[in-house]
Amino acid sequence: MYIKSMFKLLLSLAFLSVDSYILNNPINIYKKIYENNVIKVYEPKNNDRKNMTALVFYSGANALIPSDVYSDFINTLNNYNYTVAAVTNDNQATLQLLYDIKNEYKELIPITHSSGFVSALQTINIASEHNISRAIFLDPVDNSKFINKDFLSLFKKSDYVLNNLKNILVLNAKKSYEWSTFPNFSIPFIPAFALDLKELEKSNPQLNIEKLEAKEHGHSD
């Protein structure tokens, strides 16, 4: 996966320049249960949480895709000394998790893939007191109008207000946005639903947005 090879670069070049380093330590995997929702937490063993960053991971399909699909990605993050909490699509459960761990770690950083961005958007703005000021969006997709069945506004501009964030890193996989006519006709996966970065910047003039592009990779990489 390109994320595995690029993440060290992302951490060093973008706003996540922190004191991370390869550990290859054993990983402790445990569950937090909120009513019927199970949130799996992947954490390097024998580390001081007060000096660690916890990444709150929203998977694709609006955080419905099981975290096991992202096991290599999560393991790579663990090897850089990050705890990863893989949330579900139940935003109330996520908010409860954020409340429970807000004082346990040095910082909480939401990281989303695809339409997991929509679930994150719905929790970040509520969790103002939860030690969240930065986020990472991997190929962000906005399908909120379909989810809400708001078909009359499909072609209207979206208003992406992020009240509590100061810095965002957006990583786009270029092949997710490319059309092809020769030798084979192909329609790109994302463009119709891609997060509109211009609207994001317009709605959040105070926000520092770093943008990176993976030229040789696609959405599912």
Side-chain angles (χ1 to χ4, degrees):
M1 297 175 69
Y2 82 90
I3 296 175
K4 176 178 286 189
S5 62
M6 286 194 66
F7 211 85
K8 184 176 181 180
L9 176 63
L10 301 188
L11 297 180
S12 61
L13 293 183
F15 64 87
L16 282 179
S17 53
V18 295
D19 54 344
S20 304
Y21 48 90
I22 287 288
L23 289 177
N24 291 317
N25 277 351
I27 303 301
N28 182 31
I29 301 175
Y30 59 93
K31 298 177 181 179
K32 286 183 172 288
I33 301 175
Y34 302 99
E35 295 185 356
N36 295 321
N37 295 280
V38 177
I39 295 176
K40 294 179 72 173
V41 181
Y42 305 77
E43 186 165 73
K45 289 184 178 180
N46 305 319
N47 285 280
D48 180 9
R49 289 179 178 175
K50 287 292 185 180
N51 292 315
M52 293 177 65
T53 294
L55 300 174
V56 183
F57 180 52
Y58 299 75
S59 66
N62 301 94
L64 278 170
I65 295 178
S67 59
D68 293 343
V69 175
Y70 297 84
S71 58
D72 288 344
F73 175 50
I74 292 173
N75 182 63
T76 302
L77 296 174
N78 291 147
N79 283 336
Y80 281 97
N81 200 31
Y82 291 102
T83 291
V84 179
V87 300
T88 71
N89 71 325
D90 187 304
N91 292 329
Q92 290 303 314
T94 300
L95 287 170
Q96 186 60 51
L97 169 78
L98 296 176
Y99 178 82
D100 287 348
I101 68 174
K102 66 178 182 178
N103 295 319
E104 292 186 17
Y105 297 91
K106 179 174 63 177
E107 184 179 15
L108 306 181
I109 298 180
I111 178 169
T112 75
H113 178 235
S114 190
S115 56
F117 161 80
V118 175
S119 298
L121 193 70
Q122 294 171 353
T123 56
I124 291 172
N125 280 337
I126 298 175
S128 59
E129 76 283 13
H130 290 17
N131 195 22
I132 297 173
S133 64
R134 306 190 283 181
I136 304 170
F137 301 145
L138 307 176
D139 254 357
V141 169
D142 180 7
N143 63 354
S144 57
K145 292 174 183 177
F146 277 89
I147 293 175
N148 298 327
K149 299 181 180 179
D150 187 13
F151 303 117
L152 295 178
S153 64
L154 281 177
F155 300 102
K156 293 182 180 179
K157 297 290 186 180
S158 297
D159 186 18
Y160 305 112
V161 177
L162 295 168
N163 297 322
N164 306 308
L165 294 180
K166 297 178 181 178
N167 298 279
I168 289 177
L169 170 63
V170 179
L171 171 62
N172 287 329
K174 186 177 181 181
K175 289 189 175 180
S176 301
Y177 302 82
E178 293 180 339
W179 291 78
S180 176
T181 56
F182 182 84
N184 298 308
F185 177 77
S186 64
I187 299 174
F189 181 79
I190 289 184
F193 306 102
L195 171 64
D196 190 330
L197 289 181
K198 291 183 178 179
E199 287 302 312
L200 181 67
E201 293 172 334
K202 182 179 178 181
S203 300
N204 303 274
Q206 81 292 348
L207 196 59
N208 177 43
I209 302 176
E210 298 277 351
K211 292 169 281 188
L212 292 174
E213 186 177 68
K215 295 182 179 180
E216 301 300 324
H217 301 278
H219 189 68
S220 61
D221 288 333

